[in-house]
Amino acid sequence: MADNKQNNEHSEHGEDNGHTMPFWEHIGELRKRVVLSVAVFFVLMVLGWIIREPLFNFLKIPFDPFLVSHKAKLIYTAPAELFFTYFKISILLAVVVGAPFFFYQLWAFVAPGLYSHERRLVWPFVGFSSGLFLLGATFCFVVVLPFTFDFFINLAPSDIEPQIKVEDYFSFAIAFVLIFGLLFETPLVLVFLGRLGILTAKGMRAWRRYAILGAFVVAALATPSPDAINQILLAVPLIGLYELSIWLVARIEKKRLAMEEEEEDNLPMP
């Protein structure tokens, strides 16, 4: 009976505080998550290859106005250029469509070391991270790319016809989409640091001016083209996401303070 009671207490303690996995078990869990992610990525990439032509037509929508108006042309100059372009498009589909699954695998790997109430955040984490990635990719596709191509194409004088290589166009567009998708994950990282107590809303407000400067530095380093317009289009959303992160961290702190006060109220009187 004593042993059972001790085991139950240990089980309850593990449920509340997570448990420490042995090193090799931890490595095995990591291997399992990586293999699952690679398998799903490969399947989605094959799917992307099967529907490569519709994807090709969809991804060139930001460039279609210039094709219709005959201001520019898409060409390819090497035999394998179109093949590698289709391959990159397939990879993009695998990354974007598989993002929720990949984020879930990341959370599932981390979850055993978390508290039980933290493990219940799995679906909010997956939804929030996937939503931010898709928001960033969509913003880039709908706003940034059309503006960028309009700026560059209209730089050409009337006696010069822009002829853009297919590989160059899609490499440019895919890089922009992935960069915006990843950088829109900024609130997730900051909120996670806030939950750990590493960041506070007060400290983030004090560092606001440096965050604004950092947003422009990141935008300058991240955008494939050096023009100021693209950098502003990336920096402004990053600043907005930083402000959102301050609000979210403040809410976390307020909730944590309320829980601590409730626990103090429930303590037995001496």
Side-chain angles (χ1 to χ4, degrees), residues 167 192 213:
E167 183 179 9
F192 179 73
L213 176 61

Side-chain angles (χ1 to χ4, degrees), residues 91-126:
I91 292 176
L92 179 65
L93 175 81
V95 171
V96 173
V97 175
F101 182 82
F102 303 142
F103 285 125
Y104 174 79
Q105 294 304 316
L106 174 62
W107 183 266
F109 173 68
V110 175
L114 301 177
Y115 292 93
S116 59
H117 68 275
E118 292 174 329
R119 290 197 292 270
R120 290 194 293 267
L121 297 174
V122 55
W123 294 117
F125 171 83
V126 172

Side-chain angles (χ1 to χ4, degrees), residues 32-53:
K32 173 186 173 183
R33 301 300 171 186
V34 170
V35 168
L36 282 173
S37 298
V38 170
V40 170
F41 180 85
F42 179 76
V43 170
L44 290 174
M45 193 171 69
V46 171
L47 174 64
W49 181 263
I50 293 172
I51 60 173
R52 59 188 180 276
E53 290 189 11

Side-chain angles (χ1 to χ4, degrees), residues 4-79:
N4 291 336
K5 182 178 180 181
Q6 186 175 11
N7 290 336
N8 289 336
E9 290 175 353
H10 177 76
S11 175
E12 290 175 3
H13 178 78
E15 176 65 22
D16 289 339
N17 298 289
H19 65 279
T20 303
M21 297 173 64
F23 176 77
W24 289 113
E25 185 179 346
H26 202 66
I27 295 298
E29 182 68 14
L30 175 62
R31 179 178 175 274
K32 173 186 173 183
R33 301 300 171 186
V34 170
V35 168
L36 282 173
S37 298
V38 170
V40 170
F41 180 85
F42 179 76
V43 170
L44 290 174
M45 193 171 69
V46 171
L47 174 64
W49 181 263
I50 293 172
I51 60 173
R52 59 188 180 276
E53 290 189 11
L55 282 176
F56 182 95
N57 293 328
F58 176 77
L59 288 174
K60 71 180 181 67
I61 286 176
F63 203 78
D64 279 341
F66 309 106
L67 299 176
V68 173
S69 63
H70 302 291
K71 285 187 176 181
K73 287 183 179 179
L74 283 177
I75 62 172
Y76 71 93
T77 59

Side-chain angles (χ1 to χ4, degrees), residues 69-233:
S69 63
H70 302 291
K71 285 187 176 181
K73 287 183 179 179
L74 283 177
I75 62 172
Y76 71 93
T77 59
E81 184 175 337
L82 199 57
F83 171 83
F84 286 113
T85 299
Y86 285 148
F87 186 73
K88 291 178 181 179
I89 292 172
S90 302
I91 292 176
L92 179 65
L93 175 81
V95 171
V96 173
V97 175
F101 182 82
F102 303 142
F103 285 125
Y104 174 79
Q105 294 304 316
L106 174 62
W107 183 266
F109 173 68
V110 175
L114 301 177
Y115 292 93
S116 59
H117 68 275
E118 292 174 329
R119 290 197 292 270
R120 290 194 293 267
L121 297 174
V122 55
W123 294 117
F125 171 83
V126 172
F128 193 43
S129 55
S130 302
L132 285 172
F133 183 87
L134 293 176
L135 178 64
T138 302
F139 175 79
C140 177
F141 190 77
V142 174
V143 178
V144 178
L145 287 180
F147 187 91
T148 301
F149 293 132
D150 183 70
F151 176 79
F152 284 129
I153 297 300
N154 286 318
L155 283 178
S158 58
D159 58 339
I160 296 178
E161 181 185 33
Q163 296 186 355
I164 313 299
K165 291 176 62 179
V166 168
E167 183 179 9
D168 290 342
Y169 167 76
F170 281 98
S171 295
F172 184 90
I174 289 171
F176 257 60
V177 167
L178 292 179
I179 287 170
F180 271 77
L182 291 174
L183 288 179
F184 268 56
E185 297 291 335
T186 301
L188 185 68
V189 176
L190 296 178
V191 168
F192 179 73
L193 294 176
R195 285 191 64 86
L196 294 178
I198 298 175
L199 290 178
T200 63
K202 181 180 179 181
M204 292 173 70
R205 293 188 188 101
W207 281 80
R208 180 181 278 119
R209 67 183 67 181
Y210 302 106
I212 294 173
L213 176 61
F216 280 96
V217 172
V218 169
L221 296 174
T223 50
S225 59
D227 65 287
I229 301 299
N230 282 327
Q231 294 168 15
I232 292 173
L233 285 173

